[in-house]
């Protein structure tokens, strides 16, 4: 009996020590107790009660995230398309990891295109093949692999070069008579080469705007510009120069002056005589009302830069036919400076296509 007590005390001491000793757990203590025939059931229970708490579970192992990031470009989307529509269309072909759809800031609706990322290359290829030229929210959409920015820029450059070869050089023709037709303009340029295209912009009511564009081969275009600039067509002195790409501005070789506050009785010939005192007048034009045929109280005079600047300085504030003239350099329509209701031509040797909607004789 004394021996049993001694063993129980010994094992109790071992159990207490196991709480501090690494690797020696309560389960091991339990096995020692249950394995000894000398222990009573009561002693084993006592030892278990003194054992420390069970081990903490091992931390879960995180799975590595996919680094596949090739995007699919989807174009021609309906403005009513939402991200869930795109997910539904692509989930049938794999795991959609990301959907990016730019929104219009004002309407907060789709801008007509989006990007979708799948989990791997195989799913991307399958999704493109299935979704391309399919219908999403009532529109036939086009899907393709999204290219890096540098490749997009390279492709755009090649496209522009090809377009230039096919269409040739674009020529701007300004100061056209409102009665001049596309056939008239084409005939004038056909003497210098093949006219690939001829276009006369009109306003919202279908009236001509007083300028146009002609496309020809580069060599023919250069010859036509040289020969036709400054010549007359249907009673108007033409301004002919190369049409510049959007955003580019030409260095003016001539300056067009705006002459405002004219008397209704002032003749164009009188105005020309006034400005010829300061140099050669390349062109003098008084816009007229289409219905009444009367001039509208202002005019434009084109001169070489030095002559134009001197004329503007001398004639601004000059009294002509009882009216004080207002003279300054003509500016493009919508220009942020002083308004002068001019036709927007800057007097240079080229025309900026970015202003097509705001330039022309209909702006008088």
């Amino acid at each position: 009996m004394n021996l049993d007590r001694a063993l129980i005390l010994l094992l109790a001491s071992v159990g207490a020590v196991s709480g501090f000793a690494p690797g020696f757990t309560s389960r091991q203590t339990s096995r020692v107790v249950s394995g000894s025939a000398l222990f009573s059931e009561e002693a084993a229970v006592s030892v278990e009660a003194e054992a420390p708490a069970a081990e903490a579970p091992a931390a879960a192992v995180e799975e590595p995230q996919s680094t596949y990031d090739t995007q699919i470009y989807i174009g021609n989307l309906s403005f009513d398309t939402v991200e869930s529509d795109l997910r539904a269309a692509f989930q049938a072909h794999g795991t959609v990891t990301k959907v990016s759809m730019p929104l219009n800031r004002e309407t907060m609706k789709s801008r007509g295109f989006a990007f979708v990322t799948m989990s791997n290359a195989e799913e991307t290829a399958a999704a493109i093949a299935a979704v391309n030229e399919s219908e999403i929210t009532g529109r036939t959409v086009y899907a393709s692999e999204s290219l890096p920015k540098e490749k997009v820029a390279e492709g755009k450059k090649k496209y522009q070069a090809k377009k230039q070869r096919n269409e040739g050089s674009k020529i701007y023709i300004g100061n056209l008579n409102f009665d001049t037709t596309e056939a008239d303009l084409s005939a004038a340029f056909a003497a210098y080469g093949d006219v690939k295209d001829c276009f006369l912009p009109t306003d919202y009511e279908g009236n001509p705007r007083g300028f146009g564009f002609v496309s020809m081969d580069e060599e023919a275009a250069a010859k036509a510009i040289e020969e036709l600039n400054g010549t007359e067509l249907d009673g108007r002195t033409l301004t002919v120069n190369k049409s510049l790409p959007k955003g580019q501005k030409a260095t003016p070789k001539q300056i067009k002056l705006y002459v405002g506050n004219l008397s209704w009785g002032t003749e164009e010939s009188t105005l020309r005589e006034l400005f010829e005192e300061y140099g050669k007048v390349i062109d003098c034009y008084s816009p007229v009302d289409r219905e009444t045929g009367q001039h509208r109280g202002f005019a434009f005079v084109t001169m070489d830069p030095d002559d134009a600047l001197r004329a503007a300085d001398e004639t601004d504030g000059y009294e002509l036919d009882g009216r004080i003239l207002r003279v300054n350099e003509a500016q493009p329509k919508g220009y942020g400076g002083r308004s002068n209701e001019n036709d927007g031509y800057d007097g240079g040797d080229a025309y900026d296509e970015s202003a097509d909607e705001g330039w022309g004789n209909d702006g008088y």
Side-chain angles (χ1 to χ4, degrees), residues 172 202-204 208-209 211 249 256 258 290 296 298 300 328-347 351-364:
Y172 165 76
T202 59
D203 61 19
Y204 293 113
R209 299 176 59 189
F211 64 95
K249 300 291 182 182
K256 176 179 273 193
Y258 166 81
R290 289 185 178 124
R296 301 175 60 186
F298 59 94
F300 299 95
N328 58 282
E329 185 177 349
Q331 301 291 349
K333 185 177 180 181
Y335 176 74
R338 181 178 176 184
S339 173
N340 54 28
E341 300 182 283
N342 65 73
D343 69 347
Y345 174 63
D346 66 2
Y351 176 75
D352 176 11
E353 291 182 45
S354 66
D356 279 0
E357 289 303 314
W359 291 30
N361 293 335
D362 67 328
Y364 294 137

Side-chain angles (χ1 to χ4, degrees), residues 78-81 102-112:
S78 166
F79 295 140
D80 295 324
T81 301
L103 301 178
N104 182 298
R105 292 181 181 179
E106 295 181 359
T107 65
M108 296 308 294
K109 289 189 174 184
S110 167
R111 292 170 56 190

Side-chain angles (χ1 to χ4, degrees), residues 26-142:
S26 61
R27 291 183 182 178
Q28 290 171 314
T29 305
S30 177
R31 284 198 297 273
V32 173
V33 173
S34 60
S36 174
L38 298 175
F39 302 143
S40 67
E41 206 171 323
E42 294 177 7
V45 171
S46 175
V47 173
E48 286 280 11
E50 296 179 17
E55 307 176 46
V61 178
E62 293 185 6
E63 295 184 3
Q65 294 184 350
S66 173
T67 58
Y68 183 77
D69 60 358
T70 299
Q71 293 182 316
I72 301 172
Y73 169 80
I74 307 98
N76 200 42
L77 287 172
S78 166
F79 295 140
D80 295 324
T81 301
V82 295
E83 287 191 8
S84 58
D85 297 326
L86 293 173
R87 286 189 179 276
F90 281 85
Q91 279 176 346
H93 312 290
T95 302
V96 176
T97 61
K98 184 179 179 182
V99 174
S100 175
M101 187 171 68
L103 301 178
N104 182 298
R105 292 181 181 179
E106 295 181 359
T107 65
M108 296 308 294
K109 289 189 174 184
S110 167
R111 292 170 56 190
F113 64 95
F115 301 91
V116 171
T117 305
M118 308 296 287
S119 64
N120 56 55
E122 291 75 15
E123 291 179 356
T124 296
I128 290 174
V131 176
N132 186 42
E133 296 187 1
S134 67
E135 190 173 292
I136 297 178
T137 57
R139 293 289 294 274
T140 299
V141 301
Y142 301 95

Side-chain angles (χ1 to χ4, degrees), residues 73-276:
Y73 169 80
I74 307 98
N76 200 42
L77 287 172
S78 166
F79 295 140
D80 295 324
T81 301
V82 295
E83 287 191 8
S84 58
D85 297 326
L86 293 173
R87 286 189 179 276
F90 281 85
Q91 279 176 346
H93 312 290
T95 302
V96 176
T97 61
K98 184 179 179 182
V99 174
S100 175
M101 187 171 68
L103 301 178
N104 182 298
R105 292 181 181 179
E106 295 181 359
T107 65
M108 296 308 294
K109 289 189 174 184
S110 167
R111 292 170 56 190
F113 64 95
F115 301 91
V116 171
T117 305
M118 308 296 287
S119 64
N120 56 55
E122 291 75 15
E123 291 179 356
T124 296
I128 290 174
V131 176
N132 186 42
E133 296 187 1
S134 67
E135 190 173 292
I136 297 178
T137 57
R139 293 289 294 274
T140 299
V141 301
Y142 301 95
S144 61
E145 185 175 325
S146 181
L147 298 175
K149 289 184 178 180
E150 56 272 17
K151 287 191 175 181
V152 172
E154 183 182 348
K156 186 176 181 179
K157 188 175 180 180
K158 289 180 179 178
Y159 170 77
Q160 293 293 350
K162 183 178 179 181
K163 183 179 179 183
Q164 178 73 18
R165 289 194 299 270
N166 293 338
E167 296 184 359
S169 294
K170 194 172 186 180
I171 305 168
Y172 165 76
I173 306 97
N175 203 35
L176 286 172
N177 189 310
F178 292 124
D179 295 327
T180 299
T181 65
E182 289 185 358
D184 297 331
L185 194 59
S186 292
F189 279 80
Y192 305 97
D194 181 40
V195 175
K196 296 178 178 291
D197 185 48
C198 180
F199 171 59
L200 296 180
T202 59
D203 61 19
Y204 293 113
E205 296 179 354
N207 298 312
R209 299 176 59 189
F211 64 95
F213 300 95
V214 167
S215 294
M216 306 178 73
D217 289 332
E218 192 169 348
E219 185 177 345
K223 187 176 181 181
I225 291 171
E226 183 180 356
E227 296 291 335
L228 292 177
N229 186 40
T231 62
E232 283 197 8
L233 178 64
D234 296 333
R236 298 292 295 275
T237 302
L238 301 182
T239 298
V240 184
N241 45 55
K242 186 175 181 180
S243 178
L244 288 179
K246 185 176 181 179
Q248 283 190 344
K249 300 291 182 182
T251 302
K253 291 182 179 179
Q254 299 170 349
I255 291 180
K256 176 179 273 193
L257 299 175
Y258 166 81
V259 186
N261 200 37
L262 288 174
S263 166
W264 300 115
T266 299
E267 299 289 339
E268 195 171 287
S269 58
T270 303
L271 191 64
R272 179 183 286 272
E273 288 176 7
L274 171 63
F275 280 84
E276 281 179 342

